[in-house]
């Protein structure tokens, strides 16, 4: 076995060595030889079809010879190793069976299979297979369908033998070559053709080329490579732009959905706010009624006290001390009433502050309704605030009930005081009637007075406890007010965040429109550049031919070629390698310069000598190009 380095020294590349090894193995196995031949034919037919189609410059018809030969070669490739099936009329090899499997593997191929079955002129499975190949090529999905087919070798083993082309590596190579056919646009009329009776014969004369065609094919390959690179670049840009467009459209749709949901939730929140406002108005009316009743009771009690004072002045002088003590008690009761009234005033002021806070909240809500459309998080916070407001309103209702209870208790106490005053009047009358029993009455009065003093002290202690409860209620209301202010600040922060997000969404929309404009501009620029490249290529080829003609004319005018002497040249003009005993000097019979053997290993007939003579590589290329441009 030779190493790759030794093979390279002898001028044999790695691919050539692999081909020779495959050829030697194919000699042993006839099926391998058939696979290799079919692979080579597929390479030649696909390459020739692409080159001729690009030079042809328009869509291909069904009468185009390279396209017909491509279908013939593909038919032979798909028939290789096909199992023979027995039928009533004899043995049959059908391509339609494996091709029909593509419909199960790829749902997109169902349309092609259905259209092939609906064609009226096709009667044989071979005709259906030929029509399927033509439709898949027009759809530019032939390589994709066959790639899916060769991956399922478990299904293909029912139709092909083990050493068939579709089950070996050669089939994968052919499928990879078919990807290049996506550059071609084909317009084939399948309905009118007689595909059942066509004879599939390969025309080898189309693929036997001379050296001139090889040189042309190299130039065409370079042009094709540059065109394909440009096409791939433009397709990649289009893919990226399409992905960004789809992402932006998804985000826009999600934002629109969230906006619709938030609008509905805002309507629900507005209804809840209206209900709370109605409840607040009802509470205000009830509070005003309670204040009116309390003022009326106070006026009645003050009138009763004035009447009692007048009666005491008209009473006996012996009861002045008792009157003074009762007056002192009345003053204390008045003081307590004033304290209670002050507490009521404080409560009223607190309620007014609550109403102002509610009004401020309502104003803030009305101002935010325009800016909070389409925002989901803000609605959740508004719901939480509404729940808290409802709870606080319930707590305020409970506090109002407690205060009403306190007022009712105070009314009961005033009633008790009036009852005690009536009892005192009755005792005074009894004292006037029963002077003899004055001492006993005074003793009883003292006892009653002591009991009343104890009851009054108990009432004072009870009222002090009520004052403490009211102070705690005031503290709770202040804390609630602070929490409301904190909630308002949070709502303002969320509004600012949502406005920034809306600005970002507008920016994304602008970027989306800008990217669409850039995509359109890039497409137009790409088309203009392709046209400019084609025009430049044609002009360059014409200018090269003119320059060579001018050079030949100058040489003819100067007296022909100059034959360089051996002493004047020590290095090769092309590769610039130094001449030695092993590397000899050779004159080019066209230009007269001296070259080495590798740079002048060409022979062509010249006008001066009809026999083929030695020519350098540059002169060989120029003469071939001149002969191809001027066939005469």
């Amino acid at each position: 076995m030779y190493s790759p380095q030794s093979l390279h020294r002898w001028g044999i590349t790695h691919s050539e060595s692999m081909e020779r090894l495959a050829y030697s193995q194919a000699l042993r196995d006839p099926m391998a030889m058939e696979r290799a031949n079919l692979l080579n034919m597929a390479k030649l037919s696909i390459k020739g079809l692409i080159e001729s189609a690009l030079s042809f410059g328009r869509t291909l018809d069904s009468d185009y010879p390279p396209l017909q030969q491509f279908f013939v070669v593909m038919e032979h490739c798909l028939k290789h190793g096909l199992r023979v099936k027995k039928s009533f009329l004899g043995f049959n090899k059908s391509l339609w069976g494996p091709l029909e499997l593509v419909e199960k593997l790829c749902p997109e191929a169902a349309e092609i299979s259905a259209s092939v079955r609906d064609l009226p002129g096709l009667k044989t499975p071979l005709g259906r297979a030929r029509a399927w190949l033509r439709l898949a090529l027009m759809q530019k999905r032939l390589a994709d369908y066959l790639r899916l087919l060769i991956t399922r070798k478990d299904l293909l083993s029912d139709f092909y033998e083990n050493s068939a082309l579709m089950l070996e590596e050669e089939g994968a190579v052919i499928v990879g070559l078919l990807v290049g056919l996506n550059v071609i646009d084909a317009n084939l009329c399948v309905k009118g053709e007689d595909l059942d009776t066509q004879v599939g014969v390969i025309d080898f004369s189309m693929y036997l080329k001379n050296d001139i065609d090889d040189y042309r094919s190299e130039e065409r390959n370079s042009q094709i490579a540059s065109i394909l690179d440009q096409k791939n670049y433009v397709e990649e840009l289009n893919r990226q732009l399409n992905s960004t467009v789809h992402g932006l459209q998804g985000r826009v749709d999600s934002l629109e959905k969230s906006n619709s949901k938030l609008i509905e939730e805002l309507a629900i929140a507005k209804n809840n706010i209206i209900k709370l406002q109605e409840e607040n108005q009802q509470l205000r009316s009830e509070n005003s009624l309670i204040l009116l009743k309390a003022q009326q009771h106070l006026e009645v009690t003050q009138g009763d006290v004035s009447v009692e004072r007048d009666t005491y002045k008209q009473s006996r002088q012996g009861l002045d001390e008792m009157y003074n003590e009762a007056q002192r008690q009345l003053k204390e009761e008045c003081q307590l009433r004033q304290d209670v009234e002050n507490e009521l005033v404080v409560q009223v002021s607190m309620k007014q502050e609550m109403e102002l806070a509610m009004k401020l909240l309502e104003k803030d809500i009305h101002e935010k309704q325009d800016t909070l459309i389409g925002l989901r998080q803000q609605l959740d916070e508004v719901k939480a605030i509404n729940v808290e407001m409802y709870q606080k309103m319930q707590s305020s209702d409970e506090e109002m009930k407690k205060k009403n209870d306190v007022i009712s208790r105070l009314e009961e106490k005033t009633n008790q005081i009036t009852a005690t005053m009536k009892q005192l009047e009755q005792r005074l009358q009894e004292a006037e009637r029963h002077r003899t029993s004055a001492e006993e009455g005074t003793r009883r009065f003292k006892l009653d007075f002591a009991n009343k003093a104890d009851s009054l002290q108990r009432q004072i202690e009870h009222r002090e406890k009520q004052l403490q409860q009211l102070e705690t209620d005031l503290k709770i209301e202040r804390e609630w007010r602070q929490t409301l202010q904190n909630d308002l600040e949070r709502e303002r922060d969320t509004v600012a965040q949502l406005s920034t997000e809306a600005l970002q969404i507008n920016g994304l929309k602008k970027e989306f429109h800008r990217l669409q404009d850039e995509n359109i501009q890039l497409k137009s620029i790409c088309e203009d550049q392709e046209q400019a490249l084609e025009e430049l290529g044609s002009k360059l080829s014409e200018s090269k031919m003119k320059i060579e003609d001018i050079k030949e004319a100058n040489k003819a005018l100067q007296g022909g070629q100059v034959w360089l002497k051996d002493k004047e040249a020590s290095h090769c003009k092309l590769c610039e390698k130094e001449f030695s005993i092993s590397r000899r000097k050779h004159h080019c019979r066209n230009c007269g310069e001296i070259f080495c053997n590798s740079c002048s290993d060409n022979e062509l007939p010249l006008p001066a000598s009809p026999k083929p003579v030695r020519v350098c590589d540059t002169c060989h290329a120029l003469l071939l190009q001149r002969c191809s441009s001027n066939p005469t």
Side-chain angles (χ1 to χ4, degrees), residues 48-63:
L49 181 59
I50 293 170
E51 291 177 357
S52 61
L54 291 174
S55 62
F56 198 50
R58 61 185 179 87
T59 57
L60 304 180
D61 298 329
S62 57
D63 296 332

Side-chain angles (χ1 to χ4, degrees), residues 281-460:
Q281 289 178 358
Q282 290 177 0
L283 290 171
R284 287 177 185 174
S285 62
E286 291 175 357
N287 192 4
S288 61
L289 291 171
I290 290 165
L291 289 172
L292 289 171
K293 288 179 181 180
Q295 288 177 0
Q296 289 176 0
H297 285 296
L298 288 172
E299 289 176 356
V300 170
T301 53
Q302 286 178 0
D304 293 334
V305 169
S306 62
V307 171
E308 289 175 357
R309 283 180 182 176
D310 293 333
T311 55
Y312 278 121
K313 285 179 181 178
Q314 293 174 2
S315 65
R316 290 175 63 186
Q317 293 180 358
L319 296 173
D320 288 337
E321 293 178 356
M322 293 171 66
Y323 178 76
N324 290 326
E325 289 178 357
Q327 191 176 7
R328 183 173 58 79
Q329 290 177 0
L330 286 170
K331 287 181 181 179
E332 290 176 355
E333 291 293 329
C334 290
Q335 186 70 29
L336 291 171
R337 283 182 184 175
Q338 288 179 359
D339 294 333
V340 172
E341 287 176 357
N342 291 325
E343 289 176 359
L344 287 171
V345 171
V346 171
Q347 290 294 326
V348 170
S349 64
M350 289 297 293
K351 286 182 180 178
Q352 290 177 356
E353 289 178 358
M354 287 290 292
E355 289 174 357
L356 291 172
M358 289 294 293
K359 288 180 181 179
L360 292 171
L361 286 171
E362 289 174 359
K363 288 180 181 179
D364 292 331
I365 289 166
H366 286 299
E367 291 175 355
K368 292 173 184 176
Q369 282 177 356
D370 296 329
T371 57
L372 294 178
I373 294 171
L375 305 171
R376 185 180 294 170
Q377 295 178 357
Q378 185 64 27
L379 285 172
D380 294 333
E381 292 178 355
V382 169
K383 285 182 180 180
I385 291 167
N386 287 327
V387 172
E388 290 178 358
M389 290 292 292
Y390 182 73
Q391 292 176 357
K392 290 173 182 178
M393 290 296 292
Q394 288 180 351
S395 63
S396 63
D397 291 333
E398 292 175 356
E399 289 175 357
M400 288 297 294
K401 288 178 181 178
K402 290 179 181 179
K403 290 175 183 178
N404 290 325
D405 294 332
V406 171
I407 291 166
S408 63
R409 288 174 184 174
L410 288 171
E411 289 176 355
E412 290 176 358
K413 288 178 182 178
T414 53
N415 292 325
Q416 289 176 1
I417 291 166
T418 54
T420 54
M421 293 298 292
K422 288 178 182 179
Q423 289 176 3
L424 288 171
E425 288 176 358
Q426 290 176 1
R427 286 176 184 175
L428 287 170
Q429 290 175 2
E430 289 175 358
E432 289 176 353
R433 292 174 184 175
H434 304 285
R435 290 179 182 178
T436 57
S437 61
E439 291 178 356
E440 293 178 357
T442 54
R443 289 176 185 175
R444 291 175 183 174
F445 182 75
K446 286 180 181 178
L447 292 170
D448 294 328
F449 183 76
N451 293 324
K452 288 178 182 178
D454 294 331
S455 64
L456 288 170
Q457 286 179 357
R458 290 173 185 173
Q459 289 177 0
I460 289 164

Side-chain angles (χ1 to χ4, degrees), residues 557-610:
L557 291 171
Q558 289 175 1
Q561 62 184 5
V562 179
W563 194 263
L564 193 64
K565 294 181 180 180
D566 293 337
K567 295 180 180 179
E568 294 177 358
S570 61
H571 295 78
C572 179
K573 189 174 181 181
L574 283 178
C575 62
E576 295 183 355
K577 293 181 180 178
E578 189 176 1
F579 295 111
S580 62
I581 296 170
S582 61
R583 188 178 290 108
R584 299 182 63 188
K585 301 177 182 179
H586 298 279
H587 282 86
C588 176
R589 300 301 188 271
N590 187 34
C591 62
E593 298 289 336
I594 295 173
F595 303 89
C596 64
N597 186 20
S598 61
C599 295
S600 62
D601 190 13
N602 302 302
E603 289 184 358
L604 280 176
L606 297 175
S609 60

Side-chain angles (χ1 to χ4, degrees), residues 236-266:
E236 186 65 26
L237 282 176
N238 286 326
R239 285 173 191 159
Q240 292 178 359
L241 291 171
N242 287 325
S243 63
T244 54
V245 166
H246 288 305
L248 291 171
Q249 285 179 354
R251 291 183 68 184
V252 168
D253 293 333
S254 64
L255 288 170
E256 287 178 354
K257 291 179 182 177
S258 63
N259 285 332
S260 62
K261 291 179 181 178
L262 290 172
I263 288 165
E264 294 176 357
E265 292 178 356
L266 273 174

Side-chain angles (χ1 to χ4, degrees), residues 21-34 36:
L21 289 172
Y23 182 74
S24 62
Q25 292 176 359
L27 291 174
R28 301 173 188 172
D29 188 4
M31 293 291 285
M33 176 67 79
E34 291 178 2

Side-chain angles (χ1 to χ4, degrees), residues 8 33 152 171 249 276 315 436 470 508 511 513 521 584:
H8 184 67
M33 176 67 79
R152 297 298 302 271
Q249 285 179 354
L276 290 172
S315 65
T436 57
L470 291 169
L508 289 171
E511 288 181 359
H513 293 300
Q521 291 177 1
R584 299 182 63 188

